[in-house]
Amino acid sequence: MKKKIWIMNHYATNMYFNEGGRHYWFAENLIKRGYGPTLFCANTRHNSKNVIELDKRKYIVKNICKIPFVFVKTSMYTGNGKSRLWNIIEFFINLSPVAKEYAKLYGEPDIIIASSVHPLTLVAGIQIAKKYNIPCICEVRDLWPLSLVEMGRIKNEQIVTKILYKLEHWIYKKADSVIFTMEGGKDYILDKGWNNEIDLSKIYNINNGVDFDKFKERQKYKTIEDTDLDDDSTFKVIYTGSIRAFNNINYLVDVARLINKEESYKNIKFIIYGDGDDRKNLEEICKKENLNNIVFKGSISKEYIPYILGKSNLNMLIYRKDLEVFKYGGSQNKLFEYFASGKPIISNIKINYDLIEKYNCGETIYDGDAIKIKNCILKFYNMSKQEYDFYCNNSIKAARDYDFKALTNKLEKVIENTMEGRKRWR
């Protein structure tokens, strides 16, 4: 009899609409291996007005590609203020009764995987697993509250921050296993001094990744018309993602400004996809200074990212340089999409367990100023085809190593180890 796995991720709603994403791809691969996964998520979609209508019901079940999605009732929200906080609390409150009703109709689970971003989903997963006397794997995709502190949303000395650290500690203690998407999860626990209470043998790492075959398929069939992308005479430097202080995209504007002054490199173009608080101001700066070598495209549907990156010559991973969170590694979704594009990558930050360095598929300019980044871009621009192809091939190798077929092998081992550990404990 196949094992029933409940995967709880507040924001997996995006995966339903995008037909892709971490837990979507895990579920697809688990089904092929004889497991029965179900995804629990909110009926509201993050950063979107899209909603799964419930018609006054507490939840609704919809299937896509044989994956059952259970959409839990939550309120619409905008931004990151009180309405989003209430949405988080609602999901936490409603998840347990919805799980109870779902179990009556479709059977109880054998194991639960509860995934952040926010910790309340992990708390709910632990509590629900306890009711069924089954193990709970907690998956940590963001270090809360450390990430919130570094984004400037809360401060270390605030009471709420101290409460969140205590909650984080409690989650790691109570979970049967903990998966960190960043490689330095054990380092983090050691640095916090929690290793006396948390067994490090139950700590695992499974990075984010990419469905390589689907990426290549979308690269071919999910196309857009864009004169900047289609201009074969330009050397395209591409960034995809958020545009806010945390991401430090003004850094790319500084680099574009430097290159714009050099007559020999007028065909280098920076193309920025994404949105955020800093976008409007940066666009105004570029317009005022007549920087024609950088263009902001705004938000774009995830399904077109493979095509966009396929047109790239060089991809950029840019953040603020003073972020402690990268001490424990990085597992940005965009990084694995960059790998799958088969193009070199430049990063401006020191990340422990640096995959760009590991696979030699680009360059990391530690503490690099705009001049160093500019010179690195020019290095790739002037590079011989043989050397450039070397970096491209290494990117593809990284993408294949972090394909979700390989990552599901790791997840399956964690599931089986966790269930076996619970049996021994009983």
Side-chain angles (χ1 to χ4, degrees), residues 272-305:
I272 315 298
Y273 285 89
D275 206 351
D277 299 337
D278 287 0
R279 179 187 163 195
K280 185 176 180 181
N281 180 53
L282 292 175
E283 283 185 303
E284 289 175 355
I285 290 171
C286 294
K287 184 177 180 181
K288 184 178 179 180
E289 296 186 23
N290 198 29
L291 294 179
N292 297 319
N293 63 340
I294 183 166
V295 58
F296 291 81
K297 295 291 187 177
S299 296
I300 191 81
S301 174
K302 286 281 287 183
E303 63 183 343
Y304 299 115
I305 293 295

